[in-house]
Amino acid sequence: MRFVSLFLLTLCGVSPVFAESSPQGMLDALTLRQDYEARRASSSAEDLDSNGDARTIMPGDTLVLLDADGPGILTHFWNTIAAYDPFAGRSVVLRIYYDGNEYPSVQAPLGDFFGVGHGVNQTFTSLPVATSASGLARTCYWRMPFRKHVKVTITNESPTYPVASFYFYLDWQKWDKLPKDMMYFHAKYNQSMPATPGHYTILDTKGEGHYAGTVYSAQQVELGWFGEGDDFIYIDGSKTPQLRGTGTEDYFNDAWGFREFNTPFHGVSLYEGPMAGDRVTAYRWHIMDPIPFKESLHFTIEHRGSTMDETAAADKVSVDSSGERADWISSVAFWYQYPPVEIKEPLAPAADRIAPYIILPVGELTNRADTPEGVSPSYVGVQYSFTTPEGWIEFDFTVEKSGRYQISGMFQDMIMSAIYQPYLDGTPIGLPIDMVTSASGFMSHRLDLHDLTKGKHTLRFQRVDQQAPGTRSIPFTFTAFTVEYFMLLRLEDMEGYHQSYDARVKAK
């Protein structure tokens, strides 16, 4: 019993003494008697013969996943979602309340809590958190102890879009007693959109505990590199940081910029590039190196980086190498603390957690196709059955203001799809998009940056290959193309766009 308790403490990251846990140690623990009751809350239908195991969450509604008395420990949380909001990862919020507290000790958008920001669906793998099914299935193994009571909720904070289906498993252990020094798990979301001059605060907490991890996201507002900011961690009221870093990517154990990669304890779950409008998320789990504090912890990071002049000659492309930037940044801090801290600050409204995208339901747009009878409506978009090898479908959309736009769309990848070449106003844009996958799921595909004038424009998708290279032969005589939304992001509408760039050019 004592060893099992120590093993649980290890998984909770309670003491540096147990930080050298290993997969072998975890397997060894399975040979010992488990002195708790295994429990589960799930979306399973009350009628066990039914397959209707999903829950619907209407705009503004809250779904209670678990409401149980302790003592106990949450050990496994899996969920998957079918939502009509293309940014549901930001509009759907997880909250966890301990021991009857009025305010939560875990408060974060669902996607950010599970390691991917911006409402993006993306697959990645780490030790405590992983996603699959193109980012639509989310899993974590964080240990979340509670003594008297726990309540876990999911709230759909979108004012417009329902969550059509939310499936979940929430496994927990019912104990007779928990060790006195077992601490409570916390997670807190923060954002600064755009970043203001000076340090960005990831966490500021008072009490006793230890820091356990960071998810950090940025959406760039200018060409260049945002990650020259150093990290600073002040412990127990120190005026100078006991831990100070050398650069944003260095804190996340990377170097010379970012690129997507995953390891058990650190990685970059999302990286779109260095252009204005591009998004990135990095994670760092302090499982092997928790940061203890007795009285307080204050964790900040600079937001500095390079700015590039996209119109300049090659030898003058850099305007500044490490100045302040006005990118849109957000984060989730993960830590353990006792007694539990209540997060009283409300989240920004769901619309203010993402850039000012213009969302165009495709079903409301005028469309044309080489075989018009093949077009049928989907929820808010259209599905088109391509019956010829070089079939096409196109959509008209209107731009209210001239400017530079990032164009993307929410498409359904599936085994019966194909490879399509996108066109804008009759000109091919980018590379052909491969929408063939063995599992069906809605995915965002970017169509790059474009300078658009006010007025009507046309997007066309031309089939260029029935079958993607390396995929299995399929028996379909047609290919299906489904798109629900186009998303337009006018960069001039992002507060801070070229703000520091313009100031630096003027200063020079």
Side-chain angles (χ1 to χ4, degrees), residues 28-101:
D28 289 341
L30 291 177
T31 66
L32 303 176
R33 180 179 292 110
Q34 309 294 304
D35 195 12
Y36 58 82
E37 296 178 21
R39 301 286 182 89
R40 173 181 293 164
S42 78
S43 55
S44 175
E46 291 188 12
D47 179 0
L48 297 183
D49 293 327
S50 168
N51 195 38
D53 294 326
R55 307 294 175 87
T56 299
I57 314 175
M58 299 304 294
D61 285 356
T62 295
L63 174 65
V64 177
L65 310 188
L66 176 65
D67 193 345
D69 292 329
I73 303 173
L74 306 183
T75 58
H76 168 236
F77 180 23
W78 166 88
N79 63 86
T80 189
I81 186 172
Y84 298 123
D85 185 347
F87 299 101
R90 272 277 162 92
S91 60
V92 175
V93 177
L94 169 68
R95 291 182 175 90
I96 300 178
Y97 304 78
Y98 297 126
D99 298 348
N101 287 340

Side-chain angles (χ1 to χ4, degrees), residues 234-361:
Y234 304 79
I235 301 170
D236 297 338
S238 174
K239 300 300 181 183
T240 58
Q242 289 94 329
L243 289 79
R244 52 186 296 185
T246 58
T248 304
E249 79 270 43
D250 306 349
Y251 168 72
F252 292 98
N253 291 333
D254 204 0
W256 310 111
F258 273 146
R259 71 285 301 152
E260 288 183 6
F261 74 101
N262 304 152
T263 78
F265 303 114
H266 65 274
V268 177
S269 56
L270 173 70
Y271 184 71
E272 293 182 335
M275 306 295 289
D278 285 346
R279 301 167 293 187
V280 60
T281 296
Y283 64 91
R284 167 80 157 88
W285 309 130
H286 291 269
I287 294 174
M288 304 302 288
D289 57 343
I291 303 170
F293 54 93
K294 298 292 186 183
E295 299 174 4
S296 64
L297 183 138
H298 184 59
F299 182 5
T300 69
I301 191 168
E302 299 172 317
H303 193 72
R304 308 172 66 89
S306 65
T307 303
M308 316 299 270
D309 182 353
E310 60 200 68
T311 65
D315 61 342
K316 297 179 180 179
V317 69
S318 179
V319 176
D320 198 329
S321 62
S322 61
E324 295 272 4
R325 289 176 57 99
D327 300 307
W328 291 38
I329 57 177
S330 56
S331 62
V332 179
F334 299 80
W335 78 103
Y336 286 87
Q337 189 166 339
Y338 182 82
V341 174
E342 296 180 83
I343 301 171
K344 298 182 179 181
E345 303 92 333
L347 293 180
D352 294 338
R353 296 177 213 150
I354 61 169
Y357 289 91
I358 301 166
I359 301 175
L360 303 176

Side-chain angles (χ1 to χ4, degrees), residues 164-475:
S165 300
F166 189 82
Y167 298 82
F168 69 91
Y169 281 43
L170 194 52
D171 293 316
W172 61 288
Q173 302 168 350
K174 182 70 168 67
W175 286 78
D176 293 331
K177 185 178 180 181
L178 295 181
K180 292 182 180 180
D181 55 353
M182 184 170 279
M183 296 192 172
Y184 287 73
F185 174 83
H186 296 71
K188 182 180 181 182
Y189 173 84
N190 190 29
Q191 68 178 42
S192 182
M193 299 182 176
T196 56
H199 291 202
Y200 170 80
T201 298
I202 292 176
L203 179 64
D204 189 7
T205 187
K206 298 186 185 304
E208 181 178 4
H210 48 269
Y211 193 73
T214 308
V215 170
Y216 185 78
S217 299
Q219 185 162 16
Q220 300 203 155
V221 297
E222 52 196 337
L223 176 67
W225 162 244
F226 76 91
E228 290 300 319
D230 298 344
D231 54 294
F232 300 88
I233 300 179
Y234 304 79
I235 301 170
D236 297 338
S238 174
K239 300 300 181 183
T240 58
Q242 289 94 329
L243 289 79
R244 52 186 296 185
T246 58
T248 304
E249 79 270 43
D250 306 349
Y251 168 72
F252 292 98
N253 291 333
D254 204 0
W256 310 111
F258 273 146
R259 71 285 301 152
E260 288 183 6
F261 74 101
N262 304 152
T263 78
F265 303 114
H266 65 274
V268 177
S269 56
L270 173 70
Y271 184 71
E272 293 182 335
M275 306 295 289
D278 285 346
R279 301 167 293 187
V280 60
T281 296
Y283 64 91
R284 167 80 157 88
W285 309 130
H286 291 269
I287 294 174
M288 304 302 288
D289 57 343
I291 303 170
F293 54 93
K294 298 292 186 183
E295 299 174 4
S296 64
L297 183 138
H298 184 59
F299 182 5
T300 69
I301 191 168
E302 299 172 317
H303 193 72
R304 308 172 66 89
S306 65
T307 303
M308 316 299 270
D309 182 353
E310 60 200 68
T311 65
D315 61 342
K316 297 179 180 179
V317 69
S318 179
V319 176
D320 198 329
S321 62
S322 61
E324 295 272 4
R325 289 176 57 99
D327 300 307
W328 291 38
I329 57 177
S330 56
S331 62
V332 179
F334 299 80
W335 78 103
Y336 286 87
Q337 189 166 339
Y338 182 82
V341 174
E342 296 180 83
I343 301 171
K344 298 182 179 181
E345 303 92 333
L347 293 180
D352 294 338
R353 296 177 213 150
I354 61 169
Y357 289 91
I358 301 166
I359 301 175
L360 303 176
V362 174
E364 299 177 5
L365 303 179
T366 299
N367 69 74
R368 293 172 296 279
D370 65 314
T371 310
E373 59 270 21
V375 180
S376 59
S378 59
Y379 170 66
V380 295
V382 301
Q383 183 174 80
Y384 179 54
S385 298
F386 283 79
T387 57
T388 62
E390 296 182 353
W392 56 268
I393 185 170
E394 61 185 23
F395 306 90
D396 296 332
F397 65 97
T398 301
V399 167
E400 299 295 335
K401 296 180 181 178
S402 298
R404 175 156 291 188
Y405 285 81
Q406 183 189 75
I407 305 177
S408 59
M410 190 66 69
F411 302 84
Q412 187 171 16
D413 292 4
M414 64 185 87
I415 193 171
M416 64 187 69
S417 194
I419 301 174
Y420 306 98
Q421 173 64 55
Y423 292 75
L424 176 63
D425 297 331
T427 301
I429 54 174
L431 297 173
I433 301 174
D434 181 356
M435 296 186 189
V436 179
T437 180
S438 58
S440 180
F442 282 98
M443 291 294 296
S444 175
H445 291 290
R446 292 184 299 150
L447 304 176
D448 301 327
L449 292 176
H450 304 278
D451 293 320
L452 300 180
T453 57
K454 179 180 178 180
K456 188 181 79 170
H457 296 272
T458 301
L459 280 170
R460 172 186 280 227
F461 298 87
Q462 180 107 29
R463 198 177 95 180
V464 295
D465 191 0
Q466 182 176 355
Q467 187 173 322
T471 60
R472 298 174 60 188
S473 297
I474 55 177

